[in-house]
Amino acid sequence: MNERWESNLLKADQGAEVTTATKRLVDKQNINYHFVPYIHLIFPNALILHMVREPMDVLFSAYRLDLNNRDTEGNNRDVTSSFEGLANSYGKYRDVMNYWDEVLPGRVMHVRYEDLVNDFEAVAKAVIKAADLDWDPSIIDFHSKERAINTPSANQVRQGLYTGSVQKWKKYEEFLNPLKILLGDNVIYDQDTNLPGYRRK
């Protein structure tokens, strides 16, 4: 992980100029939640952000994608193609995040997706302040920047923020009810955005 971050500081990252003078590095790997204590030890001043979203929306979004994750031997490692895999994987993720909050209280800054899309400027300003950076009004227009986006959500990024994905799973509740049952208590995630200075509208 450390080598990956250091190498990204020394090379161009998806067309953006990145130099040794770069002040901040963003690593959005969705498996980073496993590495919170290592990030804490290696980069004690790092801002660790955790995006929290309504569980059923998260899992419905993952279920809709054809991730086709196979290992080098061709075995399917895609936990998102079955309700059982989704519920099991999500439960483990929640256990890990709850543990980090217990042993490293306050180290992880949680940001609710719903707060981000409904109150973007206030959340963005709180993130920038927490990262000890200067606010730049162009942040609001992130979707109009010319850059390569190599993720399944590339089209969504180009649209800018929208609230259409909040509670989207409800349209398919009849079909997703077995997943909801498998989630048990994890079907609710009432973690608030805890960025310093942020107050929900």
Side-chain angles (χ1 to χ4, degrees), residues 61 64 142-143 152-162 165 168:
S61 178
R64 292 174 52 219
F142 68 91
H143 57 284
S153 59
N155 289 334
Q156 294 168 338
V157 172
R158 297 281 184 231
Q159 292 174 33
L161 284 179
Y162 59 95
S165 290
K168 190 170 187 175

Side-chain angles (χ1 to χ4, degrees), residues 14-192:
Q14 297 182 356
E17 288 186 16
V18 181
T19 70
T20 53
T22 299
K23 289 185 176 182
R24 301 291 185 273
L25 175 68
V26 176
D27 186 338
K28 315 184 295 182
Q29 294 284 330
N30 60 6
I31 60 168
N32 281 343
Y33 70 94
H34 289 289
F35 308 129
V36 166
Y38 304 109
I39 297 168
H40 173 66
L41 290 171
I42 297 168
F43 303 103
N45 297 319
L47 174 62
I48 304 173
L49 294 173
H50 171 227
M51 183 64 67
V52 179
R53 188 177 177 192
E54 204 280 336
M56 288 296 291
D57 276 336
V58 170
L59 298 180
F60 175 55
S61 178
Y63 186 70
R64 292 174 52 219
L65 295 174
D66 181 13
L67 298 177
N68 194 23
N69 291 332
R70 297 189 177 276
D71 62 20
T72 54
E73 297 172 359
N75 299 311
N76 189 358
R77 300 292 184 213
D78 180 10
V79 299
T80 65
S81 60
S82 74
F83 286 171
E84 292 80 8
L86 282 166
N88 185 44
S89 179
Y90 186 80
K92 289 177 181 176
Y93 145 75
R94 286 281 293 275
D95 289 344
V96 168
M97 288 310 301
N98 289 338
Y99 180 71
W100 299 146
D101 279 341
E102 281 180 30
V103 299
L104 294 169
R107 187 63 183 89
V108 175
M109 295 288 103
H110 303 284
V111 179
R112 283 210 70 92
Y113 171 83
E114 294 81 5
D115 289 339
L116 184 71
V117 298
N118 287 306
D119 195 12
F120 177 63
E121 186 170 345
V123 173
K125 284 182 175 178
V127 169
I128 296 300
K129 185 174 182 180
D132 196 26
L133 293 169
D134 295 326
W135 175 252
D136 182 337
S138 71
I139 290 169
I140 299 297
D141 299 318
F142 68 91
H143 57 284
S144 61
K145 293 189 186 328
E146 297 276 337
R147 68 186 191 282
I149 301 169
N150 298 314
T151 68
S153 59
N155 289 334
Q156 294 168 338
V157 172
R158 297 281 184 231
Q159 292 174 33
L161 284 179
Y162 59 95
T163 58
S165 290
V166 174
Q167 295 287 305
K168 190 170 187 175
W169 75 274
K170 286 274 193 184
K171 296 177 185 173
Y172 309 94
E173 186 168 9
E174 177 185 351
F175 306 102
L176 295 172
N177 200 49
L179 174 58
K180 186 177 176 183
I181 293 167
L182 286 169
L183 279 176
D185 291 342
N186 283 333
V187 77
I188 295 170
Y189 202 172
D190 56 3
Q191 172 67 56
D192 287 330

